[in-house]
Amino acid sequence: MATNLSDRRSVLTGAAALLAAGAARGQAVTLPFGNGERPIKTYPEKRPMLVLTERPPQLETPFEVFDHGAFTPNDAFFVRYHLAGTPPRGLDAATHRLKVLGAVETPLDLSLADLRRDFPAVELAAVNECSGNGRGFSSPRVAGGQLGEGMMGNALWRGVTVRALLDRAGVKASAHAVEFNGADRPQMASVADFVKGLGVDHARNGEVMIAYEMNGAPLPLLNGYPLRLIVPGYYGTYWVKHLTDLTVLEQESQSYWMQKAYRIPDNDCACVPAGTAASATRPIGKLNVRSFITNLSDGQTAKASARALVRGVAFDGGSGISGVELSSDGGKTWTPASLGQDHGKYSFREWSAHVPLEHGEHLLVARAKSKAGDVQPLTANWNPSAYMRNVADPVRVVAA
Amino acid sequence: MRGLASSLLVLVAVAAAGGVAARETVGKTAPAYAPPPETSKFVAAPGVEAAQRYCLTCHSADYVSTQPPHMPAAFWQNEVTKMRNAYGATIPDDAAKAITDYLVATYTEPTRGGR
């Protein structure tokens, strides 16, 4: 924990006001870890965002966005791709097809109009968080996308359930898993196509859905236009973009992106001693419980007050948030926060609390608890790919 | 899986016809995609030609330059090996060695205090 006290997130949030101007002037933001310089650029349908990589496009949400409500605007929603040549070009909602193939009685080949006409529409608020959100803060550091904490977002998704499609197609009794593929393809044939799999019961749970709208508008191209898989409570790696194919399998998915990548230590904490390898692994799954302070950033000067407002967001993998506690003394004593409107158990839950901030330095720590009983740890768990970071990180403010 | 039935409550089922009538937004046609031009480059130093030739097919140079600044030589060796083995990058052995040396010399900064 100590390694993160000094300058966490400070430069990012402090520079947030510069973002719009910075985009025009070709400026950059520096995330508070080594090699944290990130250009700020404006991509199609996006506001100025932090650029992790240009090709494929990987864009991080400016952190201050999370202080403006439980839902993340589409033009600020993070972007994560794996393969060169993304996003795929030439997509068109009018001609796009979605196929249901494999171990089904009747394969389906549907247009978006079919989806909207023949299947009930459902709406669900759900957080999409990248498996490696916050990887840049890992200690020791590891290879991968060196992400700050802006690789997450919450949206209201509207579409159809995967169950409705599978029921229409008629899943055979021998079915074991469903593979999901999108229109993006690797530029080099040696790179595995980005395909993800879910167990057939999970895919049919009535919550896993295919979205054609995000926050009441069509999906931005960079967030999966025209159709995206939504796997509530699961890390973003499963949320396949530009969805074209559902294939029902009689065994588990053999995709590289299931069998080799996105794997976590196969134990309760999904962690191993820092710097060591995992002896056994499993595919990453549900989001762990996490919270962020959004109105104060590390290193910031705040107004001294007997009742200072601190607020933020919290979420977990779908049990829901049962409470958030705030400490203004580095975790010695805790004050319960009040929770904001409940948008559903997969959504960001806003929270706020008042704590005394006397003149001087304070270490603020927010710690969320899920209804399943999980609490954020006060020291970071470590794993070789720096997935699932959820430490209750302190934010140092000086009251004056 | 049966327990999940209760979670259906959070799904707001809307009559399909009503949904269509209310929102014609899905008809948005293929958005034009014109990203900002790619600007990231490998740092000029001995060996950069090999990196340019073999390491820019599948991603831009910033995937390399944003890696942590003070990693041991084995880190870069592993990355080059991973690109060849996991992603099938076809790189002759001598070029792979030249690239590894270049990355270690250019992107590992032992004296820098970065974490």
Side-chain angles (χ1 to χ4, degrees):
Chain A
M1 182 156 94
T3 53
N4 282 336
L5 293 189
S6 57
D7 58 0
R8 186 177 156 270
R9 220 193 287 147
S10 59
V11 194
L12 168 61
T13 318
L18 296 175
L19 283 177
R25 278 186 264 129
Q27 282 190 359
V29 153
T30 302
L31 296 168
F33 43 74
N35 279 352
E37 298 78 15
R38 300 286 179 269
I40 304 295
K41 293 187 184 175
T42 308
Y43 278 68
E45 300 177 277
K46 293 286 163 186
R47 69 177 74 179
M49 304 268 283
L50 285 71
V51 181
L52 173 70
T53 63
E54 300 179 286
R55 179 169 50 88
Q58 301 198 80
L59 311 176
E60 185 163 339
T61 302
F63 200 81
E64 57 136 28
V65 166
F66 303 113
D67 195 42
H68 296 286
F71 290 92
T72 313
N74 292 1
D75 71 348
F77 214 92
F78 79 93
V79 176
R80 163 70 166 124
Y81 279 103
H82 303 74
L83 309 177
T86 52
R89 311 301 153 91
L91 292 170
D92 188 342
T95 56
H96 192 81
R97 308 299 295 186
L98 180 69
K99 296 188 171 137
V100 181
L101 307 163
V104 294
E105 304 297 342
T106 315
L108 305 180
D109 181 350
L110 305 164
S111 67
L112 262 75
D114 295 334
L115 285 181
R116 293 168 37 140
R117 190 187 55 241
D118 298 343
F119 300 88
V122 293
E123 275 188 347
L124 180 73
V127 171
N128 181 3
E129 183 186 25
C130 179
S131 312
N133 191 28
R135 179 178 291 119
F137 293 100
S138 173
S139 177
R141 293 187 65 177
V142 301
Q146 302 300 314
L147 310 169
E149 290 167 332
M151 297 299 271
M152 60 177 186
N154 185 43
L156 183 65
W157 309 97
R158 182 185 173 87
V160 302
T161 65
V162 167
R163 177 161 73 192
L165 293 184
L166 292 179
D167 285 355
R168 181 72 52 94
V171 171
K172 291 190 175 161
S174 55
H176 181 84
V178 183
E179 263 188 356
F180 300 87
N181 198 0
D184 40 357
R185 294 283 178 274
Q187 257 184 350
M188 307 276 288
S190 61
V191 178
D193 194 8
F194 191 77
V195 171
K196 297 295 289 191
L198 297 175
V200 70
D201 289 341
H202 185 185
R204 295 183 64 185
N205 72 5
E207 293 185 329
V208 175
M209 61 183 280
I210 296 167
Y212 44 67
E213 276 184 31
M214 173 177 178
N215 292 326
L219 302 166
L221 177 62
L222 290 171
N223 294 111
Y225 171 91
L227 292 176
R228 166 171 217 174
L229 188 69
I230 305 302
V231 188
Y234 274 61
Y235 281 98
T237 180
Y238 291 100
W239 299 41
V240 174
K241 297 188 285 300
H242 319 295
L243 195 65
T244 56
D245 293 88
L246 277 59
T247 307
V248 180
L249 304 178
E250 295 179 325
Q251 72 286 327
E252 70 177 29
S253 168
Q254 297 304 307
S255 165
Y256 170 88
W257 303 101
M258 293 298 297
Q259 296 293 339
K260 298 279 189 255
Y262 290 106
R263 296 187 72 92
I264 57 173
D266 189 14
N267 56 35
D268 284 348
C269 66
C271 69
V272 290
T276 65
S279 54
T281 63
R282 65 172 186 267
I284 196 168
K286 281 189 187 176
L287 305 178
N288 54 17
V289 62
R290 204 162 184 186
S291 67
F292 293 95
I293 294 170
T294 57
N295 70 322
L296 292 168
S297 54
D298 202 273
Q300 184 175 332
T301 302
K303 200 166 179 298
S305 161
R307 248 183 125 251
L309 171 70
V310 182
R311 67 172 176 238
V313 294
F315 59 94
D316 84 322
S319 76
I321 294 299
S322 69
V324 175
E325 294 177 301
L326 183 72
S327 171
S328 56
D329 55 14
K332 290 196 207 76
T333 60
W334 298 89
T335 305
S338 18
L339 298 180
Q341 192 184 336
D342 187 354
H343 299 285
K345 61 189 185 172
Y346 294 110
S347 172
F348 275 161
R349 187 79 188 261
E350 291 179 286
W351 58 267
S352 62
H354 289 89
V355 287
L357 288 185
E358 317 277 306
H359 285 263
E361 186 173 304
H362 304 271
L363 275 185
L364 301 175
V365 190
R367 179 171 74 173
K369 184 175 183 182
S370 71
K371 288 183 179 161
D374 296 319
V375 183
Q376 288 183 263
L378 296 178
T379 51
N381 291 327
W382 191 92
N383 62 66
S385 299
Y387 291 138
M388 301 177 72
R389 184 179 173 83
N390 76 331
V391 60
D393 257 331
V395 170
R396 184 178 47 84
V397 296
V398 176
Chain B
M1 281 291 129
R2 194 144 299 152
L4 287 163
S6 61
S7 56
L8 273 173
L9 292 173
V10 297
L11 293 173
V12 184
V14 180
V20 173
R23 304 155 182 251
E24 230 5 287
T25 50
V26 194
K28 177 176 95 162
T29 48
Y33 184 70
E38 189 171 316
T39 56
S40 60
K41 291 190 173 61
F42 283 118
V43 170
V48 68
E49 298 82 5
Q52 283 164 343
R53 173 154 178 202
Y54 293 107
C55 302
L56 293 176
T57 324
C58 307
H59 45 72
S60 41
D62 42 16
Y63 226 156
V64 172
S65 60
T66 52
Q67 294 305 305
H70 58 130
M71 304 306 270
F75 174 87
W76 292 112
Q77 220 152 23
N78 286 341
E79 286 303 302
V80 175
T81 305
K82 178 176 169 185
M83 297 309 133
R84 299 171 89 188
N85 293 350
Y87 302 129
T90 39
I91 310 174
D93 286 345
D94 55 341
K97 165 121 189 19
I99 293 168
T100 306
D101 292 347
Y102 162 78
L103 295 171
V104 173
T106 314
Y107 292 102
T108 289
E109 301 176 31
T111 56
R112 186 169 159 167
R115 299 197 301 259

